[in-house]
Amino acid sequence: LHDTSRGARVPAFADYHGFTMASLSVKGLALARGRTAGGEDSTIMYRPFTSWGGSSDWNFTLPEEESAVAVAAGNSFVAVATSSGHLRLFSPAGVQRAVLSLAGPAVAMAARGRDVAVAWHSAAPGALGEQRLRVSVFDALEASLLSEAALPVSSGATLSWLGFAEGGALASGDSEGTVRCQLAGGNGAWSPIFAAAQARQAGSERYWVVGLSDAELCCVVLNGVDAPTVHPRPVLSSLDLAPPVVPSDMGAVELERNLLSASARVGVRRAAAAAAADGDEEALGEDSEGNLARAEQDIMDAEREMDSHVLRLLQKCAQVDRLQRALELAAMLNSERALMGAVTLANKMRKPALSERMGLLLEARQAQREREQQAALAAVATPRHAPTQATQGVAPSAYLDDSADREEAPRVTTGRGIFGAAGAIAAPKASAPAAEPSEGDEEGEEEMTDTEEDEDEDEEAATQKALAAAAAAKPKATNPFARKVIADPPGGAKAGGLAAAVKSMQGSGKRKLSTTVLGGRKGSKKAAK
């Protein structure tokens, strides 16, 4: 199936080689044929849809002992599985990139983006004819194995189709008409999403699978034939996905089938959104931002559809008094709004026990949402870079990338601080007086806070210490009279104005007093006489 809205139309060409297998991608067409009965060697050809250079087509002829078994074309590679157990990888221009070995004979291949899936036989068929297959998914650009899992096939059936769903999930179909999809998460589990036995309207109907979306199966409906015709062109049909369910005791088979389909649709769309978020070029497309937004909207739409099916089945369970089953269905609801609607529905149907337990479930859901919001806020509030040993305990403004903040921020040094523990010490500013640590600071290990009250107390203590130091440095007199003059100089002389006090005394005729004062300063008895 080729989507012409995403790529050019496939050009018509004459087939001179008798190709028996082909694969389409957005950018080109890969063809191959095995070794013919007449002894002609196996041939591989690739035709790109657009090219800026001439002779863009290329072909290879495999060795005589090797024959092509399957071919797959991706956006940036061409893969060919051969009868020799080789997986040959080519570039769109024909460069041979890698040759990998398969663990068993190849059966089918499919490509999407840069991934290629190869189904191969892991052992001989069982006694009842059951196939024992495995599937390996490779990164074609890195030539590496991404995953490997068992590939289930119905008993007595053969693998008829292998491909990727629209959302990126790996899918398969067998000859019994069962289509399976690998569940999201890469755990290797498969789930049947379509059963031909339930969708078949006539006993002879068969379904030729062409593609798969998250809600529909694109196929060609066949009546009495094994393959569709080329001319006239076959008509494509879209069938709703219908997983096989067994009749329940409530008679709600259709409701349960719709719920299973909606649940699978949610899983597929979540996987597609995760692939787009990881940079999957096939899922992103050209408009990456728009496609990401649409993927999120698709998830919300699928969840609302699933919730509506859950509520319908929940109502049916409550009507037949299957309350425990109804509570389990309520736990499957995706939104709190739908859960509140379930509580309202239980109240209207007069089911108090069910309503009470649904209320507890709603409270637990709300508490979980609050915890997630708090964790998200804490993650946003956390600094981009974790503080190192040199910045622990420093305000965020100390290491912000701002020149003004860096000038005002204290310089941080490491060493053993006043609390006896190795840590960061903030050096004081040059203009602030150096305060000696108090006795309690030397003994304690409690950190000081940078509040205004503590700063005022520190300033007052520093002022008192400075006054005490100034008083201790003041000169002392040698006689009581000199101390009286210094303490209370005549004329109201200021402290420290000793020369002014002496001059005032000399001007008033008290020469002996002046001499005594001078002698007291010199500490000489002879001068006093």
Side-chain angles (χ1 to χ4, degrees), residues 261-330:
S261 299
S263 177
R265 193 172 304 120
V266 170
V268 169
R269 293 190 179 181
R270 286 176 178 171
D278 291 340
D280 189 342
E281 57 182 8
E282 186 79 11
L284 284 174
E286 296 180 357
D287 185 11
S288 59
E289 295 183 0
N291 287 340
L292 285 174
R294 281 191 293 272
E296 294 295 333
Q297 185 62 40
D298 290 343
I299 293 176
M300 295 176 61
D301 294 341
E303 289 179 347
R304 280 195 292 266
E305 182 185 1
M306 177 181 171
D307 288 346
S308 65
H309 291 301
V310 170
L311 290 175
R312 291 190 184 97
L313 191 56
L314 188 150
Q315 183 180 14
K316 183 67 174 178
C317 292
Q319 288 175 353
V320 298
D321 206 26
R322 297 287 186 181
L323 302 185
Q324 292 183 351
R325 191 178 301 178
L327 182 61
E328 291 178 353
L329 289 170

Side-chain angles (χ1 to χ4, degrees), residues 64-128:
E64 182 179 353
E65 67 279 1
E66 192 172 0
S67 178
V69 176
V71 64
N75 292 344
S76 54
F77 70 92
V78 176
V80 180
T82 69
S83 58
S84 300
H86 297 330
L87 177 62
R88 297 185 177 273
L89 301 176
F90 302 87
S91 72
V95 178
Q96 301 187 49
R97 286 184 171 173
V99 180
L100 305 178
S101 293
L102 299 175
V107 178
M109 280 205 310
R112 182 182 185 274
R114 57 187 293 170
D115 299 340
V116 55
V118 184
W120 46 277
H121 285 286
S122 60
L128 300 178

Side-chain angles (χ1 to χ4, degrees), residues 188-209:
W190 295 76
S191 175
I193 58 177
F194 180 83
Q198 296 183 358
R200 188 178 289 124
Q201 298 180 357
S204 60
E205 274 189 0
R206 296 187 60 189
Y207 305 100
W208 181 277
V209 181

Side-chain angles (χ1 to χ4, degrees), residues 157-173:
T158 58
L159 182 67
S160 60
W161 177 77
L162 180 69
F164 288 91
E166 187 177 316
L170 187 61
S172 68

Side-chain angles (χ1 to χ4, degrees), residues 18-256:
F19 293 113
T20 58
M21 59 196 81
S23 178
L24 278 171
S25 71
V26 178
K27 298 183 179 181
L29 169 66
L31 305 108
R33 74 168 188 192
R35 186 173 179 83
T36 64
E40 295 183 4
D41 293 336
S42 181
T43 304
I44 307 165
M45 177 181 286
Y46 180 73
R47 296 175 64 94
F49 297 146
T50 59
S51 176
W52 58 268
S55 302
S56 57
D57 299 358
W58 53 265
N59 60 79
F60 285 91
T61 300
L62 296 179
E64 182 179 353
E65 67 279 1
E66 192 172 0
S67 178
V69 176
V71 64
N75 292 344
S76 54
F77 70 92
V78 176
V80 180
T82 69
S83 58
S84 300
H86 297 330
L87 177 62
R88 297 185 177 273
L89 301 176
F90 302 87
S91 72
V95 178
Q96 301 187 49
R97 286 184 171 173
V99 180
L100 305 178
S101 293
L102 299 175
V107 178
M109 280 205 310
R112 182 182 185 274
R114 57 187 293 170
D115 299 340
V116 55
V118 184
W120 46 277
H121 285 286
S122 60
L128 300 178
E130 63 272 14
Q131 299 288 324
R132 297 175 181 176
L133 304 177
R134 295 187 69 83
V135 60
S136 302
V137 181
F138 297 90
D139 185 332
L141 299 186
E142 299 292 337
S144 60
L145 178 64
L146 299 179
S147 64
E148 183 180 315
L151 180 58
V153 179
S154 301
S155 179
T158 58
L159 182 67
S160 60
W161 177 77
L162 180 69
F164 288 91
E166 187 177 316
L170 187 61
S172 68
D174 58 33
S175 57
E176 290 293 328
T178 302
V179 179
R180 298 173 177 84
C181 184
Q182 194 173 33
L183 299 179
N187 54 7
W190 295 76
S191 175
I193 58 177
F194 180 83
Q198 296 183 358
R200 188 178 289 124
Q201 298 180 357
S204 60
E205 274 189 0
R206 296 187 60 189
Y207 305 100
W208 181 277
V209 181
V210 177
L212 180 67
S213 69
D214 57 1
E216 294 178 336
L217 177 71
C218 183
C219 63
V220 177
V221 180
L222 305 177
N223 288 307
V225 294
D226 295 335
T229 60
V230 179
H231 297 289
R233 181 176 298 177
V235 178
L236 296 179
S237 301
S238 296
L239 303 178
D240 293 333
L241 298 182
V245 295
V246 295
S248 65
D249 53 357
M250 299 187 305
V253 177
E254 195 65 27
L255 292 177
E256 293 182 348

